[in-house]
């Protein structure tokens, strides 16, 4: 094996029952390079990484690290041998400090007692080497998702990693933070560290990766130098067909004003200030802004999760005051949250349970829950959402991120909501599944549903909305017609109150 090869996977196969998830996968990662790994949700990317990390036992195949055969039985063994992974869904001890999280499971000891001084010193040295400004004593819960993600990247480096897997690392990062991440990756490449970069964002693949591999239905379809391919070829490899355009036609025709927010302010940090806007029936109303601008907090306020200090929420001419999210649901509101694993689903339960849980009254027969009706509902939404799964009795946690999101959207569709709040509905979803969700959003708007959608991806917010409200520092800085605006205007408005 060539000395410039860091990681090589040969003939990797993995099945769950009769379902063959990986079929003879070959993968090569060069020393000091970034390999982009792409594929639709359910293509096998996560399964392949879990086989590498010892979470799953492979059925067939071999793995070589720096030319030596390895077969990790646990993630701890992988870490100790220089293979790290930064997961999209962060698993951290939020009530502990940054340095506690960095050294969890490997605390330095002095006379049998945890050496806090050494931990702080080593943490400061690590962050300085990565040019990160992080306080090791800070409690994780007080940090933004993007800041916590940076800590996780530093932790991966601290294990003296030879290869680091980054799973959708920019899904919660602002543009400056993305640039910072790419700078760190490029610096580590110069030290000979290699990366597997899992992402659905085409522009990032072309910016940071040296090579790119595409998985489809458990098979490796394409591996090329980034310089020798293009976006159309990657999309065709991912979905098995050519996507002529990234976004469907936004051909809904909004009707009369239906939903209004007047002078809304909230009580607790972060405090939203004096927000007013009107959305029409059957309109797709976008919310854009930098991470931390208050977009998610605004949706939570509309859904009764946050306490209002002042202002009014009006739907169909009726003033509403929600004490909690159940009140909002009773008034035909639906809410797809940003962090699906934290507050969007029951990870230890089935697809069927997660589909019916918000609408149990509809599945009763003679006052008793009908198993038949619940099964029909789950099967109906699996078919409507094109969810890739074995059956409705499969655990939702076993699905890919995109298919989990389809189940979550499906559960709300079972309630036939009038107002649909969607916070980053395509976060961590592949290009083919995104297109399906875009089509679904437009279809709902044509059926007269009022949709408010948050997105951090500027092409997306410009590609699927009728109008866009821009948030800046917890205020509304402007509302623009999508067809009459551009990226420069959105950026200018997002910095208005900074």
């Amino acid at each position: 094996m060539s000395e410039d090869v860091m990681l090589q996977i040969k003939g990797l196969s993995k099945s769950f029952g009769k379902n063959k998830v990986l079929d003879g996968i070959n993968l090569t990662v060069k020393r000091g390079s970034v390999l982009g790994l792409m594929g639709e949700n359910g293509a096998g990317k996560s399964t392949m990484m879990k086989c590498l990390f010892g979470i799953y036992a492979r059925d067939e195949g071999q793995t070589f690290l720096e030319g030596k055969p390895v077969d990790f039985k646990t993630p701890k063994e992988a870490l100790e041998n220089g293979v790290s992974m930064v997961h999209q869904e962060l698993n951290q001890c939020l009530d502990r400090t940054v340095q506690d999280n960095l050294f969890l499971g490997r605390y330095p000891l002095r006379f049998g007692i945890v050496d806090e001084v050494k931990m702080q010193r080593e943490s400061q040295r690590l962050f300085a080497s990565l040019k990160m400004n992080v306080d090791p004593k800070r409690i994780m819960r007080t940090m933004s998702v993007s800041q916590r993600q940076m800590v996780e990247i530093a932790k991966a480096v601290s294990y003296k990693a030879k290869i680091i897997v980054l799973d959708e690392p920019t899904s919660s990062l602002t543009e400056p933070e993305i640039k910072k991440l790419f700078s760190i990756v490029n610096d580590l490449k110069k030290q000979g560290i290699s990366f597997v970069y899992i992402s659905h964002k085409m522009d990032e693949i072309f910016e940071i990766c040296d090579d790119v591999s595409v998985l489809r239905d458990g098979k490796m379809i394409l591996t090329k130098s980034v310089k020798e391919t293009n976006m159309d070829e990657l999309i065709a490899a991912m979905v098995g067909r050519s996507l002529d355009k990234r976004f469907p036609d936004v051909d809904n025709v909004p009707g009369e004003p239906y939903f209004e927010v007047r002078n809304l302010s909230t009580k607790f940090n972060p405090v939203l200030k004096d927000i007013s806007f009107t959305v029409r029936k059957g309109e797709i109303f976008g919310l854009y802004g930098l991470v931390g601008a208050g977009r998610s907090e605004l949706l939570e306020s509309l859904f009764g999760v946050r306490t209002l200090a002042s202002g009014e929420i009006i739907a169909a001419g009726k003033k509403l005051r929600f004490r909690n999210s159940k009140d909002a649901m009773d008034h035909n509101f639906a809410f797809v949250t940003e962090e699906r694993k934290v507050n969007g689903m029951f990870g230890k339960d089935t697809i069927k349970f997660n589909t019916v849980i918000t609408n149990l009254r509809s599945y009763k027969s003679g006052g008793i829950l009908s198993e038949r009706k619940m099964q029909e509902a789950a099967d109906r939404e699996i078919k409507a959402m094109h969810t890739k799964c074995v059956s409705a009795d499969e655990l939702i946690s076993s699905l890919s991120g995109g298919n989990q999101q389809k189940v979550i959207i499906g559960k709300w569709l079972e309630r036939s909501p009038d107002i649909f709040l969607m916070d980053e509905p395509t976060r961590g979803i592949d290009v083919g599944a995104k297109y399906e969700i875009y089509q679904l959003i437009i279809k709902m708007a044509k059926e007269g549903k009022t949709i408010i959608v948050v997105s951090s991806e500027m092409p997306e917010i410009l590609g699927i909305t009728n109008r866009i409200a821009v948030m800046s520092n917890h205020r509304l800085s402007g509302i623009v017609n999508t067809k009459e605006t551009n990226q420069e205007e959105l950026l200018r408005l997002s910095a208005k109150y900074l």
Side-chain angles (χ1 to χ4, degrees):
M1 188 181 298
S2 171
E3 286 187 6
D4 69 345
V5 173
M6 178 64 76
L7 175 73
Q8 190 166 32
I9 295 173
K10 290 183 177 180
L12 176 62
S13 294
K14 177 66 181 176
S15 297
F16 295 101
K18 295 180 181 179
N19 185 22
K20 194 157 194 174
V21 182
L22 297 175
D23 188 2
I25 297 294
N26 296 313
L27 184 82
T28 300
V29 185
K30 299 168 189 169
R31 187 184 302 276
S33 74
V34 181
L35 174 74
L37 184 59
M38 305 193 76
E40 290 193 273
N41 289 104
K45 303 186 301 295
S46 295
T47 302
M48 181 167 66
M49 291 302 109
K50 286 176 180 177
C51 288
L52 171 64
F53 276 85
I55 297 170
Y56 292 156
R58 62 194 177 209
D59 297 336
E60 299 172 12
Q62 289 180 295
T63 304
F64 298 88
L65 184 64
E66 293 185 303
K68 298 174 184 175
V70 293
D71 184 13
F72 305 130
K73 302 301 183 188
T74 65
K76 184 174 184 289
E77 189 180 343
L79 280 168
E80 289 169 349
N81 282 274
V83 181
S84 286
M85 183 168 181
V86 178
H87 298 270
Q88 180 187 355
E89 307 290 346
L90 301 175
N91 293 310
Q92 297 168 318
C93 299
L94 297 183
D95 293 317
R96 305 296 297 175
T97 64
V98 168
Q99 65 187 38
D100 279 329
N101 277 267
L102 286 177
F103 287 94
L104 195 63
R106 48 176 181 151
Y107 285 122
L109 300 176
R110 181 177 170 83
F111 306 122
I113 300 170
V114 173
D115 191 341
E116 296 274 352
V117 174
K118 185 176 181 180
M119 274 207 307
Q120 185 170 358
R121 185 174 63 245
E122 292 296 323
S123 300
Q124 289 170 335
R125 184 179 300 156
L126 173 65
F127 291 127
S129 71
L130 295 172
K131 298 170 186 170
M132 292 182 184
N133 184 21
V134 180
D135 178 5
K137 291 285 192 180
R138 187 168 176 184
I139 300 295
M140 294 293 287
R141 191 177 294 282
T142 66
M143 303 170 75
S144 67
V145 174
S146 59
Q147 290 170 324
R148 290 195 280 118
Q149 197 165 35
M150 287 298 193
V151 170
E152 203 67 12
I153 291 166
K155 181 178 179 179
V157 173
S158 75
Y159 273 93
K160 295 183 172 54
K162 298 170 183 175
I163 185 159
I164 300 174
V165 179
L166 300 176
D167 187 5
E168 295 287 348
T170 65
S171 59
S172 300
L173 302 188
T174 63
E175 283 297 323
E177 287 168 336
I178 291 171
K179 286 186 172 61
K180 176 68 176 174
L181 171 64
F182 287 178
S183 173
I184 291 169
V185 169
N186 284 322
D187 286 344
L188 293 172
K189 274 174 60 179
K190 293 172 187 174
Q191 299 173 30
I193 296 174
S194 304
F195 291 85
V196 176
Y197 191 93
I198 302 173
S199 180
H200 296 118
K201 297 181 181 179
M202 294 281 182
D203 52 344
E204 291 181 5
I205 293 293
F206 286 100
E207 182 175 350
I208 194 64
C209 296
D210 301 291
D211 302 292
V212 60
S213 291
V214 177
L215 272 174
R216 185 174 80 234
D217 298 329
K219 292 183 173 69
M220 191 62 78
I221 301 298
L222 172 150
T223 296
K224 275 191 172 183
S225 164
V226 165
K227 294 176 182 176
E228 295 172 359
T229 188
N230 56 52
M231 190 178 296
D232 291 337
E233 184 178 25
L234 293 183
I235 291 174
M238 285 172 66
V239 301
R241 63 190 187 280
S242 175
L243 277 181
D244 297 328
K245 51 186 179 179
R246 292 176 66 184
F247 304 100
D249 293 329
V250 183
D251 55 358
N252 60 309
V253 181
E256 71 280 0
Y258 181 76
F259 179 70
E260 186 178 359
V261 174
R262 293 180 185 167
N263 308 116
L264 182 148
S265 297
T266 56
K267 279 188 177 181
F268 305 111
N269 284 332
V271 174
L272 303 179
K273 304 166 188 172
D274 198 28
I275 292 172
S276 299
F277 59 87
T278 301
V279 188
R280 291 170 287 174
K281 194 174 184 66
E283 182 176 20
I284 305 169
F285 188 76
L287 271 181
Y288 182 74
L290 302 177
V291 172
R295 302 163 307 169
S296 297
E297 290 80 4
L298 176 55
L299 290 194
E300 290 169 357
S301 301
L302 301 181
F303 198 65
V305 177
R306 288 180 174 267
T307 305
L308 301 188
S310 60
E312 295 176 332
I313 298 172
I314 302 165
K318 182 180 178 181
K319 291 183 182 180
L320 306 174
R321 174 69 75 167
F322 301 146
R323 294 164 298 173
N324 50 46
S325 56
K326 184 181 181 300
D327 285 351
M329 289 166 63
D330 289 342
H331 285 84
N332 284 339
F333 279 61
F335 184 20
V336 174
T337 59
E338 179 182 10
E339 294 197 62
R340 56 179 168 264
K341 287 192 177 180
V342 176
N343 48 26
M345 68 186 202
F346 293 88
K348 294 183 179 180
D349 251 298
T350 62
I351 296 169
K352 179 166 64 180
F353 179 90
N354 277 275
T355 301
V356 304
I357 188 62
T358 59
N359 201 32
L360 289 175
R361 282 178 292 186
S362 298
Y363 312 120
K364 287 184 177 180
S365 181
I368 300 171
L369 279 173
S370 166
E371 186 64 33
R372 178 184 59 81
K373 287 185 177 181
M374 291 192 291
Q375 186 68 47
E376 286 174 352
D379 290 341
R380 178 168 58 243
E381 293 304 334
I382 287 170
K383 183 178 179 181
M385 301 299 295
H386 306 291
T387 305
K388 288 184 181 178
C389 61
V390 176
S391 75
D393 293 320
E394 192 174 350
L395 289 178
I396 192 171
S397 57
S398 70
L399 301 183
S400 64
N403 285 303
Q404 289 173 354
Q405 191 77 318
K406 288 179 181 181
V407 175
I408 291 166
I409 293 173
K411 83 176 177 188
W412 288 114
L413 290 178
E414 282 292 302
R415 292 184 62 88
S416 300
D418 296 323
I419 297 171
F420 216 132
L421 311 175
M422 310 183 88
D423 194 354
E424 303 282 8
T426 66
R427 179 185 173 201
I429 293 179
D430 63 78
V431 64
K434 277 185 177 183
Y435 197 88
E436 292 177 351
I437 288 179
Y438 299 151
Q439 289 177 312
L440 176 67
I441 290 171
I442 294 165
K443 179 174 178 285
M444 290 193 299
K446 288 166 117 173
E447 292 170 353
K449 298 186 191 305
T450 299
I451 298 164
I452 302 177
V453 58
V454 166
S455 177
S456 298
E457 294 187 36
M458 201 175 288
E460 179 173 272
I461 206 80
L462 289 166
I464 61 163
T465 59
N466 303 117
R467 288 186 300 147
I468 303 167
V470 183
M471 300 281 291
S472 177
N473 198 20
H474 312 128
R475 302 180 189 179
L476 192 62
S477 58
I479 299 175
V480 293
N481 290 318
T482 303
K483 290 181 179 178
E484 298 168 3
T485 192
N486 53 43
Q487 295 193 17
E488 289 74 19
E489 184 174 23
L490 294 186
L491 283 173
R492 183 169 48 79
L493 286 169
S494 65
K496 184 174 180 179
Y497 296 120
L498 297 182

